[in-house]
Amino acid sequence: MLPIYNVVILGPSGSGKTVFLGSMYHKLSTQGESGFFLAVDDAQRIILNQIYTEVATDETWPEPTQIVDISNLKFTCKIQTPKGIYSACQFQYTDYSGEILTDRKDDTTYIEKFNETIKNADVLLGLIDGSKLLSYIKGENSARKWVIKELGNVLSLMQNTDKSIHFIISKWDLIEGEYTLEEVRNHLLEIDQFRNIIMTRSNNSDINNENHRNDHGKGVVRLIPVSSVGKGFAEQQTDGSMKKTGKLPKPYNIELPIACILPDKLKEELRKMINEENKKSQEQIQEVKANLTLWDKLKKYFGTTAKTILEKVAPKLPPQFQFSKEILTDIIDFIDQDLQTSVYNKETAAKERTEQLKAKKAEALVKIENEKTALEYSTRCFLLLVNKLEYEHPYSKLTN
Ligand SMILES: Nc1nc2c(ncn2[C@@H]2O[C@H](COP(=O)(O)OP(=O)(O)OP(=O)(O)O)[C@@H](O)[C@H]2O)c(=O)[nH]1
Ligand SMILES: [Mg+2]
């Protein structure tokens, strides 16, 4: 059985979900630089191709999504090698428009179904509409409604969960060159609901709280700038509509969000485990050691060496994280390297890391001979992409 990771997409109507999925599929449906490709069943492939073709070649954009269209997509991540094609894992995307949710707030079965979907999600993908965000940053009056109603809806759905959240800033082509990701982040942090999500997950947010522990089982929050079409492809008109210029699409960062899912979810699982042990232990209230690495924390409860730690930890992980010890080591090392490098060394560190990861990827490629080895290879592909994100956008990580 292939491991499957569940992603729930939350974004108000018009935020760019459909175009994002079409463009992501287009980019990853053939094996390029990323090292893997995505496959879907025939019916979904036809729909996704239609979406992208319309975006790329017609004057029009796809119609707003009817709920039944593509509210459930299952991508199989595959690797093509000289020996054949191997499947590595699956990503299931469930699309819930924020608006549908508020409009159906009296429909309890719908809400129940939604809550169930959220419960089963490994990662929440929140789409923040880049064009609305831009109006908000510019202080335009019209943006208030967006902050309170549309973005507010999505954020309130996220308030009560500890899951990893990947915020995609869609339509980044409109913001790029006007504001940096750091500026955008600061503006978002001015929104209470947004800031609260980050604060409750940060290590030192509740420093005055006596229940404070230096670890928690909460997921990470990322901010990923994405353009499904690239800079210059479309121009926003005064009425808000998006006029195509005739340029060819050049999607930006479209392959990054999917790569963050597996590493972030594994990190969350490991933290949960540490947190549970911490709860059980006598010395609950400890001094804050924010810069303890994940290995350090694991060492506290599970063993003295990487080998002994993993012997204890690996069997406790959920089925979709039954990886080899080598891969687990790589992912934990990856997470830790990030914590250990100071801001000043980040660039050199990232470059070194890119080289290391590339070498490991090449090593894993020749070893592919079944689904398990294909997964090990794809994990390295994912880490390389996450590294790219963190290197090119140091402000993309909102929590550690
Ligand atoms: N400039 C720019 N415009 C985009 C981009 N992606 C989407 N758009 C615009 O945003 C509109 C809405 O995108 P959709 O993908 O249909 O939005 P959605 O979230 O699926 O909306 P619903 O299906 O109604 O829930 C598109 O028709 C485009 O005009 C992008 O990357 N850049
Ligand atoms: Mg749609």
Side-chain angles (χ1 to χ4, degrees):
M1 266 283 277
L2 288 177
I4 175 157
Y5 307 96
N6 289 308
V7 184
V8 173
I9 310 183
L10 297 168
S13 177
S15 57
K17 301 179 292 289
T18 302
V19 177
F20 167 74
L21 287 169
S23 181
M24 175 178 92
Y25 176 68
H26 178 80
K27 168 94 187 211
L28 294 173
S29 59
T30 50
Q31 186 167 306
E33 218 184 304
S34 318
F36 59 91
F37 70 98
L38 299 179
V40 286
D41 71 29
D42 289 341
Q44 296 189 327
R45 180 169 44 82
I46 292 167
I47 297 177
L48 287 168
N49 281 337
Q50 268 168 359
I51 292 167
Y52 188 74
T53 309
E54 176 167 4
V55 170
T57 63
D58 294 356
E59 268 177 31
T60 54
W61 294 87
E63 290 290 315
T65 309
Q66 301 299 308
I67 312 167
V68 286
D69 279 351
I70 46 158
S71 48
N72 249 308
L73 278 169
K74 196 190 264 176
F75 293 109
T76 305
C77 172
K78 296 185 176 195
I79 324 285
Q80 183 161 19
T81 77
K83 281 182 257 168
I85 292 175
Y86 298 92
S87 300
C89 58
Q90 290 182 314
F91 296 96
Q92 165 103 32
Y93 283 76
T94 312
D95 175 346
Y96 268 92
S97 137
E99 205 167 68
I100 294 173
L101 267 167
T102 42
D103 292 350
R104 293 230 202 155
K105 59 171 168 282
D106 300 327
D107 187 340
T108 47
T109 53
Y110 191 80
I111 300 283
E112 269 165 33
K113 200 173 145 232
F114 174 77
N115 286 338
E116 192 60 24
T117 313
I118 289 247
K119 220 172 80 195
N120 294 329
D122 291 311
V123 165
L124 303 181
L125 196 69
L127 260 89
I128 300 183
D129 187 329
S131 77
K132 302 275 175 67
L133 182 59
L134 191 60
S135 316
Y136 158 69
I137 295 175
K138 288 182 170 164
E140 288 167 16
N141 271 335
S142 58
R144 233 186 340 234
K145 189 170 160 230
W146 171 74
V147 170
I148 291 169
K149 185 161 179 272
E150 298 181 43
L151 185 64
N153 271 337
V154 172
L155 295 177
S156 63
L157 293 171
M158 292 171 166
Q159 219 69 244
N160 298 319
T161 146
D162 289 344
K163 314 241 173 206
S164 294
I165 302 176
H166 297 156
F167 284 111
I168 290 186
I169 303 184
S170 67
K171 315 179 192 180
W172 184 251
D173 50 294
L174 304 175
I175 301 180
E176 194 193 338
E178 283 217 54
Y179 296 97
T180 63
L181 190 63
E182 183 186 9
E183 289 167 325
V184 169
R185 184 184 79 151
N186 292 341
H187 281 282
L188 281 169
L189 287 170
E190 280 168 16
I191 300 170
D192 287 343
Q193 274 181 309
F194 189 86
R195 196 179 53 247
N196 288 343
I197 292 177
I198 317 300
M199 291 299 272
T200 53
R201 290 160 186 253
S202 299
N203 275 333
N204 49 6
S205 63
D206 47 357
I207 219 147
N208 300 319
N209 178 337
E210 50 181 313
N211 293 325
H212 175 76
R213 277 186 222 108
N214 69 355
D215 218 306
H216 51 67
K218 292 176 180 172
V220 275
V221 184
R222 292 183 189 270
L223 201 56
I224 313 176
V226 167
S227 170
S228 303
V229 292
K231 205 170 159 75
F233 178 84
E235 279 165 1
Q236 189 156 30
Q237 308 298 294
T238 41
D239 65 353
S241 66
M242 216 62 74
K243 190 169 186 290
K244 295 181 187 174
T245 59
K247 260 194 165 183
L248 284 174
K250 230 175 157 262
Y252 177 70
N253 285 353
I254 197 92
E255 73 282 26
L256 298 185
I258 201 168
C260 299
I261 298 168
L262 189 156
D264 284 358
K265 182 61 188 172
L266 178 65
K267 185 176 179 181
E268 190 188 316
E269 290 296 336
L270 291 167
R271 279 178 165 179
K272 239 188 257 167
M273 233 184 253
I274 294 168
N275 194 32
E276 270 159 29
E277 292 301 318
N278 189 9
K279 266 191 211 154
K280 279 191 244 160
S281 78
Q282 301 299 310
E283 21 157 8
Q284 274 197 19
I285 301 159
Q286 304 151 342
E287 76 268 46
V288 185
K289 287 186 206 141
N291 51 2
L292 269 190
T293 66
L294 197 53
W295 278 124
D296 290 338
K297 290 174 190 164
L298 289 166
K299 235 178 234 167
K300 259 183 121 158
Y301 302 111
F302 299 103
T304 46
T305 63
K307 191 167 169 278
T308 54
I309 289 171
L310 291 177
E311 268 161 18
K312 268 192 131 172
V313 166
K316 291 190 188 188
L317 286 167
Q320 78 270 48
F321 296 100
Q322 290 306 316
F323 301 153
S324 70
K325 300 211 167 61
E326 208 186 347
I327 286 295
L328 289 173
T329 306
D330 276 6
I331 302 180
I332 300 172
D333 282 348
F334 180 85
I335 296 167
D336 277 353
Q337 275 176 22
D338 202 53
L339 285 173
Q340 284 164 322
T341 43
S342 72
V343 255
Y344 308 103
N345 300 328
K346 271 227 147 69
E347 201 171 324
T348 359
K351 266 189 200 146
E352 272 173 31
R353 196 155 78 160
T354 309
E355 291 315 310
Q356 284 168 12
L357 288 167
K358 273 188 181 157
K360 293 219 161 187
K361 187 173 145 183
E363 233 174 71
L365 179 62
V366 292
K367 286 193 198 147
I368 299 180
E369 53 180 18
N370 53 31
E371 288 178 355
K372 201 166 159 50
T373 40
L375 180 63
E376 312 211 324
Y377 173 72
S378 64
T379 307
R380 294 194 159 135
C381 298
F382 298 151
L383 290 181
L384 204 51
L385 290 169
V386 178
N387 186 51
K388 179 176 171 214
L389 172 67
E390 293 180 356
Y391 171 47
E392 287 175 9
H393 301 283
Y395 290 94
S396 69
K397 243 188 176 163
L398 292 173
T399 62
N400 262 325

